[in-house]
Amino acid sequence: KQSDGLFLSCCQEVAARYPHIPFEVQTLDQVCLKLVQDPSQLDVMVLPNLYGDIISDLCAGLIGGLGLTPSGNIGAHCSLFEAVHGTAPDIAGKNLANPTALLLSATMMLRHI
């Protein structure tokens, strides 16, 4: 609760500086339900790392799994694009890996630059 409280208070502090942008606090279970029932209810989510992992895994499951999920971390001075699933060392060299996530990540990078 302490780390969640700190994260929430920081978000509230920043949101107060931008009153024209809607800000709403929701529990993780509320967000998961909305994502499954009607994801159009959500626009931008700001989450701590653990909750972001949970949400990204849920969303990946909704579209067919982590093998289809691209990722982009966009910063002010640099950006990183990669497949969400990681390197999958257990299937390395077996000609089993699905390249879709990597190709989608590369597409995101090209659109970004």
Side-chain angles (χ1 to χ4, degrees):
K1 286 188 173 186
Q2 287 183 344
S3 62
D4 283 0
L6 175 62
F7 181 83
L8 180 57
S9 65
C10 290
C11 289
Q12 290 169 328
E13 181 183 319
V14 172
R17 289 186 249 154
Y18 303 92
H20 60 284
I21 299 174
F23 175 75
E24 183 180 348
V25 176
Q26 297 182 24
T27 62
L28 183 62
D29 59 326
Q30 290 173 319
V31 173
C32 289
L33 181 62
K34 285 182 179 183
L35 284 168
V36 170
Q37 289 183 332
D38 181 12
S40 68
Q41 298 176 65
L42 302 165
D43 187 16
V44 174
M45 294 184 285
V46 178
L47 306 161
N49 190 51
L50 175 62
Y51 298 159
D53 285 349
I54 292 168
I55 294 296
S56 66
D57 286 354
L58 171 75
C59 292
L62 292 173
I63 66 157
L66 289 173
L68 301 174
T69 312
S71 173
N73 299 289
I74 300 170
H77 303 290
C78 64
S79 299
L80 172 74
F81 298 86
E82 62 183 343
V84 169
H85 59 69
T87 60
D90 56 322
I91 60 170
K94 297 180 181 175
N95 202 26
L96 297 174
N98 183 343
T100 302
L102 186 59
L103 293 171
L104 290 172
S105 297
T107 301
M108 288 173 58
M109 179 187 67
L110 291 172
R111 287 182 177 154
H112 176 69
I113 56 175

